[in-house]
Amino acid sequence: MELKEGKLPLNLLEKYLKILPLSSDKIKIKPGPGADSSVIEIGDYYLVITQDPITFTEKDIGYYAVMVNINDVLCMGAKPEYFLFTLLLPKGISNEKILKIFKEVTKVCRKYNISVIGGHTEITPELKRIIISGTMIGLREKNKGLFPKKVNKGDYLLCVKEVPIEGISIIVKEKEEELKKIIDEKLLKKFKNYHKKPGIGIIEEALLLLENQDVLALHDPTEGGILNGIYEFCEFLNLGVIVYEDKIPVIKDAESIFKYFGIDPLKTISSGALLVAVKREGINGVINLLKSRKIIFSLIGEFKDPKYGKWMIDKKNNKLKIISFQDEISKIF
């Protein structure tokens, strides 16, 4: 079977993960679908470690690498502290381009007081485009943060911010000249900068929610979009879900772009959004909190017993099964 671009199918990933050694009882969150970071117990603290690459775009690649890894650490309730990155470069790349990536990483890490403590850089044979893979390390006290908190059937699923923020930014930057034919200059400029405003980071939103006792779990949807993120989240929580498509906050004024490339925005890389599991009894308090900060959000579904499965009611009122799949942004390359 020839594998498609993007994440490995979850059935294969789960098969391969079983091979890996996990002998320490200090590992509290192990590798698996929907696990944004590993969590390791060290005395009175949890060490939270994540690793994520940037492969879909070269533009602002240093910025993307730091931000997506910040997101994953925050989803486990930790403050990002230390960053490492591996930079694989194609033959013939200029010194100026390499320096630009280092400056992008430096700017973001300085902004959030993150120390860069190591990594690896090389010119890689046969490589056609830049690839960067980052590792973020965070620390949190054991008695603070989200985990372990149990999500139960009947609890609610929120989506904070729009989708797909990262996807629309990549599409417009990679296909700017082509898109000048179908959208105006003002909208083009807006979407080109979407990775910074409203941004692919979830720092403000996550830190706010982490302080609320009725917030049970967070998940950062990335490759495969919000639907893949929901699938992973449910796998991680061992729950089913019912989701309502018309409640998912899709970016306004971008429909013509998605239609032009034949892309489903719900299946397109969605860093910048945040999936939130909220205790049923506390939903009104969380909603009021988000409203008070003028944060875009929507109550998009309800968790069910795992035997129920993962389903979405589409705009035609069809009940569609949510499955794992490849990201649709690959259609533009």
Side-chain angles (χ1 to χ4, degrees):
M1 179 182 70
E2 184 177 349
L3 298 175
K4 297 179 181 179
E5 294 178 353
K7 289 183 178 181
L8 282 179
L10 286 185
N11 62 326
L12 280 181
L13 177 62
E14 290 174 329
K15 177 182 176 181
Y16 298 149
L17 287 176
K18 290 177 182 178
I19 299 171
L20 302 178
L22 290 169
S23 57
S24 174
D25 60 1
K26 301 291 185 183
I27 303 169
K28 299 305 176 183
I29 302 293
K30 299 178 181 180
D36 287 299
S37 305
S38 291
V39 178
I40 304 168
E41 183 180 9
I42 300 178
D44 293 330
Y45 291 86
Y46 285 137
L47 194 66
V48 179
I49 306 173
T50 191
Q51 186 177 69
D52 245 335
I54 302 297
T55 56
F56 284 132
T57 185
E58 291 187 353
K59 296 178 175 67
D60 297 316
I61 195 169
Y63 175 87
Y64 282 106
V66 181
M67 292 305 299
V68 298
N69 281 285
I70 285 175
N71 290 352
D72 282 348
V73 168
L74 281 169
C75 282
M76 291 296 184
K79 178 184 179 297
E81 301 271 5
Y82 308 103
F83 186 62
L84 304 89
F85 66 100
T86 293
L87 190 57
L88 306 180
L89 304 163
K91 189 176 179 180
I93 191 170
S94 67
N95 291 336
E96 290 76 17
K97 202 162 188 178
I98 299 170
L99 179 60
K100 184 176 183 293
I101 296 169
F102 272 76
K103 285 182 175 179
E104 288 169 2
V105 170
T106 298
K107 185 176 181 179
V108 183
C109 287
R110 279 184 175 163
K111 180 178 180 179
Y112 297 109
N113 198 27
I114 296 166
S115 298
V116 179
I117 60 171
H120 175 79
T121 308
E122 69 170 57
I123 306 297
T124 305
E126 306 300 325
L127 193 67
K128 294 181 180 179
R129 61 192 300 157
I130 301 167
I131 292 177
I132 186 170
S133 181
T135 300
M136 189 68 73
I137 302 171
L139 200 64
R140 53 164 270 212
E141 295 179 42
K142 284 171 65 175
N143 62 348
K144 293 183 179 180
L146 291 177
F147 290 93
K149 279 191 178 181
K150 183 170 176 56
V151 182
N152 295 298
K153 61 181 181 180
D155 290 332
Y156 288 115
L157 176 64
L158 297 182
C159 176
V160 172
K161 295 172 69 179
E162 304 166 296
V163 297
I165 292 172
E166 184 174 9
I168 196 66
S169 173
I170 291 173
I171 292 167
V172 172
K173 282 187 289 187
E174 292 289 330
K175 297 294 182 180
E176 182 177 0
E177 291 303 314
E178 196 171 342
L179 286 171
K180 285 179 179 179
K181 297 180 290 186
I182 66 167
I183 60 172
D184 62 52
E185 190 68 30
K186 186 177 179 181
L187 204 54
L188 195 69
K189 184 177 180 181
K190 174 185 174 181
F191 287 145
K192 271 181 69 178
N193 198 46
Y194 232 57
H195 64 302
K196 293 185 178 178
K197 185 180 180 181
I200 62 169
I202 54 162
I203 297 167
E204 177 188 345
E205 297 81 8
L207 290 176
L208 177 68
L209 291 165
L210 287 169
E211 295 297 319
N212 189 289
Q213 63 181 1
D214 293 315
V215 172
L216 303 173
L218 306 177
H219 183 56
D220 168 36
T222 54
E223 286 186 42
I226 189 169
L227 291 186
N228 210 59
I230 291 168
Y231 184 94
E232 292 176 340
F233 202 20
C234 290
E235 286 288 293
F236 178 69
L237 298 172
N238 191 31
L239 286 169
V241 74
I242 184 72
V243 172
Y244 299 92
E245 182 184 10
D246 61 351
K247 299 295 185 183
I248 298 173
V250 177
I251 295 169
K252 295 177 181 177
D253 302 320
E255 184 178 357
S256 61
I257 298 173
F258 298 126
K259 186 176 180 180
Y260 180 79
F261 290 109
I263 286 174
D264 185 342
L266 304 186
K267 300 177 181 178
T268 304
I269 190 165
S270 287
S271 294
L274 182 61
L275 293 170
V276 187
V278 181
K279 187 183 291 187
R280 188 177 187 87
E281 296 79 6
I283 189 64
N284 289 333
V286 174
I287 286 174
N288 290 335
L289 176 65
L290 292 167
K291 283 181 177 179
S292 72
R293 298 296 181 91
K294 297 181 179 178
I295 294 171
I296 293 172
F297 76 94
S298 182
L299 198 166
I300 64 171
E302 181 181 325
F303 290 103
K304 300 287 188 179
D305 186 274
K307 293 180 182 178
Y308 179 87
K310 309 171 188 70
W311 299 90
M312 179 178 74
I313 305 298
D314 71 8
K315 292 175 182 177
K316 297 178 182 178
N317 287 318
N318 296 311
K319 190 178 179 185
L320 307 176
K321 192 169 187 178
I322 299 173
I323 60 172
S324 177
F325 46 79
Q326 303 304 307
D327 200 296
E328 297 225 335
I329 201 169
S330 60
K331 291 180 178 180
I332 72 168
F333 297 107

